[in-house]
C-alpha cells in the first residue's frame, strides 16, 4: 500500500481479533502502532474479552515486523483513561495519522435479568466508545496538518438490523447504525483538511466475539432448526465467516494513499450478506 511507511495508527480493541489483525497488517506496511484494549471482562456479556497476555502477543507480533508499538490497557467507555493511553503513544511517536475505532461487544444468547446493563454496556462501548476514541485522537490528528484516515468498525447490523427483542441485540444494531451518522458528520466536517472518515460493515468474522461457547450454543440451536439471533444469517458467497486478516487487508487499502479519494462511505465487507 502506498504512503504508509512511517505513519502511526491508533487502534482500539487491539489485543486480539480484528484489532490485532489491523495492527499486524499495518506494521507490515511500515506503520507504528498505539494499541489499547480493555483486557478484562464485561459482566453483562456472555463471553470472555481479551486478556493482558493477548495484548502482549499483539506487541510481540508487531515488533516481529520490526515496527514500534505502545500498548496500554484502557476501556473505551472511560474517556480520561483512553486519552491517557493515546497520549502515551503520541508522546513516543510524535504523530498520529490513522485512527481505527474497532473495539466492540455484544451479549450472545438470551437477555439477562438486568436488561438495562445489557443495553448500556453495548451502547457505551460500541457507540460512545467510538466517539471517545475519535475525540481522544482528533486534536493531534488535525494539528499534524498532514490529513489522515479514520475507519470506524460498524457491522452488517449497521446497514440492516436482524429481528430482535433482546436489549443487547437492539443496542448492537442501534449503535452500529449510529456509527454511520457519526461517520458522515465527521467526514463532511473534516474533508477540507484531507482527513477521510469511513465505516466498514463486516459480516461474521472469526474472532473472540464469535468463536466462543455462547456463540456455539446459538449455532447448534440454529442448525437444529431453532429460531434465534443468528438463524437467518447467511452470506451469498460460500464463506461461513471472514478471517480477521480479510478485514485487515481491506482496511490497509482504505487508510492508504491509494484510497485518498474515498470518504463518507459505508463499505460492506460482507461476502454478499446484504444482497440475500
Amino acid at each position: 500500500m502506498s504512503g504508509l511507511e512511517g505513519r502511526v495508527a491508533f487502534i482500539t480493541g487491539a489485543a486480539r481479533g480484528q484489532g490485532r489483525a489491523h495492527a499486524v497488517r499495518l506494521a507490515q506496511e511500515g506503520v507504528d502502532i498505539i494499541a489499547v484494549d480493555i483486557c478484562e471482562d464485561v459482566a453483562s456479556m456472555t463471553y470472555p474479552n481479551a486478556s493482558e497476555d493477548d495484548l502482549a502477543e499483539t506487541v510481540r507480533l508487531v515488533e516481529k515486523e520490526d515496527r514500534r508499538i505502545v500498548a496500554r490497557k484502557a476501556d473505551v467507555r472511560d474517556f480520561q483513561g483512553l486519552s491517557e493511553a493515546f497520549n502515551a503513544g503520541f508522546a513516543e511517536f510524535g504523530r498520529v495519522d490513522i485512527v481505527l475505532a474497532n473495539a466492540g461487544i455484544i451479549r450472545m444468547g438470551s437477555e439477562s435479568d438486568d436488561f438495562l446493563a445489557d443495553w448500556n454496556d453495548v451502547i457505551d462501548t460500541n457507540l460512545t466508545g467510538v466517539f471517545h476514541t475519535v475525540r481522544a485522537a482528533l486534536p493531534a490528528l488535525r494539528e499534524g496538518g498532514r490529513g489522515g484516515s479514520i475507519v470506524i468498525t460498524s457491522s452488517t447490523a449497521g446497514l440492516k438490523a436482524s429481528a430482535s427483542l433482546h436489549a443487547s441485540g437492539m443496542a448492537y444494531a442501534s449503535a452500529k447504525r449510529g456509527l454511520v451518522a457519526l461517520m458522515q458528520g465527521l467526514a463532511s466536517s473534516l474533508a477540507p483538511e484531507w482527513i477521510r472518515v469511513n465505516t466498514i460493515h463486516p459480516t461474521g468474522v472469526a474472532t473472540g466475539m464469535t468463536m466462543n461457547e455462547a456463540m456455539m450454543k446459538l449455532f447448534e440451536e440454529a442448525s437444529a432448526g431453532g429460531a434465534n439471533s443468528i438463524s437467518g444469517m447467511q452470506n451469498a458467497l460460500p464463506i461461513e465467516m471472514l478471517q480477521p486478516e480479510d478485514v485487515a487487508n481491506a482496511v490497509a487499502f482504505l487508510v492508504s494513499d491509494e484510497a485518498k479519494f474515498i470518504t463518507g462511505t459505508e463499505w460492506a465487507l460482507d461476502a454478499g450478506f446484504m444482497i440475500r
Side-chain angles (χ1 to χ4, degrees), residues 185-246:
L186 289 167
S188 179
S189 299
L190 295 171
E193 299 175 51
W194 277 103
I195 297 174
R196 302 180 295 107
V197 191
N198 297 280
T199 50
I200 56 170
H201 298 261
T203 185
V205 184
T207 69
M209 179 185 283
T210 57
M211 309 302 289
N212 56 65
E213 184 177 346
M215 179 61 91
M216 290 306 106
K217 289 180 180 178
L218 292 177
F219 274 128
E220 291 169 4
E221 184 178 81
S223 298
N228 59 34
S229 58
I230 67 168
S231 56
M233 296 182 180
Q234 188 174 355
N235 300 324
L237 292 174
I239 301 171
E240 184 173 346
M241 282 193 176
L242 300 181
Q243 295 302 311
E245 292 76 17
D246 297 326

Side-chain angles (χ1 to χ4, degrees), residues 249-268:
N249 286 334
V251 168
F253 163 74
L254 194 55
V255 302
S256 75
D257 288 349
E258 293 173 10
K260 65 182 180 182
F261 59 95
I262 300 176
T263 196
T265 66
E266 305 152 46
W267 193 4

